[in-house]
Amino acid sequence: MSEETRSIYFIEETQSIEGAYVEVQTLYVADNEEDAKEAYENMLKQSNRKSFGLLLNEYVIRADQSYFMQLMRAWKKLPADFYRKMKVLTYRPLAEYQG
């Protein structure tokens, strides 16, 4: 298994905030920053959501190549233990809207 490092972009919606615990729902995942920004802008234009905010985040992740393929193909259905098999190297918020 060969590991590689990639940036993955997540659009997430904050569902609830309780103390230091923040619950988010992932709405979109992309491996291209421009696609993610375009999707984020479209979601902002159509946003009638009642949430604490819409986030566009970049995660730099190290994982086996097959995990990236699985992540992009089926990110909505992946179990939590899938995410434990990768290492988030850096995290950078790219945009945030609080409605």
Side-chain angles (χ1 to χ4, degrees):
M1 289 191 189
S2 63
E3 283 193 343
E4 60 183 74
T5 301
R6 287 192 195 176
S7 290
I8 303 291
Y9 302 90
F10 288 79
I11 298 175
E12 299 168 324
E13 183 177 50
T14 305
Q15 299 295 304
S16 66
I17 301 172
E18 296 180 23
Y21 176 76
V22 178
E23 181 181 334
V24 297
Q25 176 184 5
T26 301
L27 304 176
Y28 182 84
V29 176
D31 60 357
N32 177 292
E33 184 175 355
E34 294 306 315
D35 291 345
K37 286 181 178 178
E38 183 178 328
Y40 180 79
E41 292 297 326
N42 288 335
M43 285 182 190
L44 282 180
K45 290 175 188 171
Q46 300 170 4
S47 184
N48 293 330
R49 295 182 162 89
K50 295 195 188 303
S51 69
F52 292 97
L54 193 62
L55 307 160
L56 171 58
N57 299 310
E58 175 189 42
Y59 291 85
V60 177
I61 297 170
R62 178 177 295 141
D64 186 274
Q65 182 179 2
S66 66
Y67 285 104
F68 287 109
M69 290 185 290
Q70 291 175 53
L71 175 64
M72 299 311 296
R73 192 170 44 242
W75 60 270
K76 287 184 181 181
K77 301 176 210 163
L78 294 172
D81 66 331
F82 178 88
Y83 294 97
R84 293 187 193 108
K85 294 182 181 181
M86 63 185 182
K87 181 177 181 182
V88 176
L89 301 177
T90 63
Y91 159 79
R92 177 175 63 124
L94 300 177
E96 180 176 353
Y97 170 77
Q98 295 180 356

